[in-house]
Amino acid sequence: MLAGLAAQLRGALGILAKRDVQIPARFLAGRGVADAAADRRVALGDDCAAIPDGDGYLLLAAEGIWPAFLEGDPRFAGYSAVMVNISDIHAMGGRPIAVVDVVWGTSAGALEPVWEGMVAASRAYGVPIVGGHTSARSPYNALAVAIAGRARRLITSFAARPGDVLVAAIDLRGRMHAEHPFWDASTGADPARLRGDLEVLPALAEAGLCDAGKDISMGGVVGTLLMLLETSGAGAVLDVEAVPRPSGVRDLSIARWLLAFPSYGFLLSVRPEAAGEVLSAFARRGIASAAVGSVDGSRRLTLEAAGERETLWNLAAEPLTGLATEGDR
């Protein structure tokens, strides 16, 4: 069972597409932003660029939308483009300031549902759209959104350590998209609750309870964990049966769930002594969370279920994104 699951996950488009990051990783190797206050350099490869600024960090991020998703559900694609950027900011312990967009469409009619979705997300999360670029004279439809935010203390992809507890936190109060591997727990939810749920992340960072993690992106729990381990130069054992999972959803196999993109989902690497407080913080918001594994120094991602173990990926032999800790470059 586990060997078959590992093979299915290894061949998934959501994970294999992460290899495209090797292109910018090659061009940007050794670059980053100097952080004089911490006597280090902020490396590239996080959910956001973190630029030291005063007593904290200016955060910048951008997301492009998969063309098939944009064509098939333009309103939800517009909504998601804003939502995922907001998630990136919170994943690093920050709070969003504003977003800008780049929208290309074949006509004004093609752009209207995209804009409806972007404005709906902007209102729900309380993050303004302040500029960008729009063209209705394109031979194709395309969408990208960028965001700025600020953080006092960072949650970063480079800080997972052997011995850490892996915590997955996912809002299960949602539904699967009819065609795409998206778990929607955002549209239709109370805006005040959405904002309060996201506030858990900067609160954990500022309390010193968590400094390592990522938001669960395309590629799902497994793809996100691989990226976290690669940048941290670490390995992990993931208990696939411990990952919070909705009940009563038809045709939701464990493989599909492990590859799904949840509208609210975070994978954190937490020191053991802080794990209980981190889990309690999510529980107070009604967010499903669980300890789903542990970090080690193997540089392999190993799946575990029912007493079985299977290596999913050996990052030492086969990089995924090409982004790594300074010592591994």
Side-chain angles (χ1 to χ4, degrees):
M1 172 265 190
L2 207 53
L5 175 63
Q8 188 174 351
L9 296 174
R10 274 193 295 268
L13 177 62
I15 292 178
L16 296 179
K18 303 297 184 185
R19 288 175 166 172
D20 296 348
V21 180
Q22 293 182 23
I23 301 168
R26 188 173 70 251
F27 279 94
L28 298 176
R31 296 175 182 267
V33 180
D35 184 356
D39 191 28
R40 66 184 176 90
R41 187 165 56 79
V42 179
L44 302 177
D46 245 319
D47 287 313
C48 302
I51 302 170
D53 183 39
D55 60 351
Y57 297 87
L58 177 65
L59 302 178
L60 296 174
E63 295 280 354
I65 294 300
W66 192 251
F69 180 31
L70 180 61
E71 293 295 331
D73 195 343
R75 191 185 190 282
F76 189 45
Y79 188 98
S80 297
V82 173
M83 177 185 68
V84 297
N85 274 283
I86 292 170
S87 182
D88 280 340
I89 294 290
H90 285 91
M92 291 195 64
R95 297 176 178 88
I97 298 170
V99 299
V100 295
D101 59 85
V102 178
V103 189
W104 294 85
T106 56
S107 67
L111 295 180
E112 286 177 5
V114 178
W115 268 102
E116 287 172 2
M118 289 195 297
V119 169
S122 171
R123 289 173 176 167
Y125 289 98
V127 181
I129 300 171
V130 297
H133 175 90
T134 298
S135 173
R137 303 173 186 275
S138 169
Y140 53 82
N141 299 319
L143 172 63
V145 170
I147 192 166
R150 282 195 56 82
R152 297 189 184 100
R153 298 183 69 173
L154 290 179
I155 297 173
T156 170
S157 302
F158 290 82
R161 304 176 190 170
D164 281 358
V165 176
L166 289 173
V167 171
I170 304 172
D171 187 353
L172 300 182
R173 296 166 292 191
R175 60 189 182 277
M176 287 296 294
H177 190 277
E179 297 179 24
H180 300 283
F182 304 147
W183 177 257
D184 176 16
S186 179
T187 60
D190 176 61
R193 179 173 68 78
L194 292 175
R195 300 174 196 181
D197 290 347
L198 286 170
E199 180 63 22
V200 173
L201 281 302
L204 290 175
E206 290 162 11
L209 292 171
C210 181
D211 65 359
K214 295 183 75 68
D215 74 325
I216 299 172
S217 62
M218 294 301 297
V221 170
V222 172
T224 299
L225 180 52
L226 278 170
M227 291 188 291
L228 174 62
L229 298 176
E230 186 172 25
T231 47
S232 292
V237 176
L238 174 67
D239 182 350
V240 298
E241 296 177 324
V243 176
R245 183 179 174 193
S247 59
V249 179
R250 293 182 59 189
D251 302 322
L252 184 59
S253 67
I254 191 166
R256 189 178 185 213
W257 181 244
L258 291 175
L259 293 167
F261 165 65
S263 57
Y264 184 106
F266 298 91
L267 188 64
L268 305 177
S269 187
V270 181
R271 310 291 107 81
E273 62 274 15
E277 290 184 73
V278 170
L279 291 167
S280 294
F282 289 111
R284 286 192 292 271
R285 298 295 310 179
I287 302 295
S289 64
V292 298
S294 58
V295 179
D296 57 41
S298 68
R299 298 186 65 190
R300 297 172 182 261
L301 174 53
T302 300
L303 304 182
E304 181 179 63
E308 288 186 72
R309 286 194 173 189
E310 180 76 23
T311 297
L312 175 71
W313 204 287
N314 181 355
L315 288 163
E318 186 180 3
L320 182 64
T321 66
L323 298 166
T325 58
E326 290 295 321
D328 293 328
R329 286 201 182 99

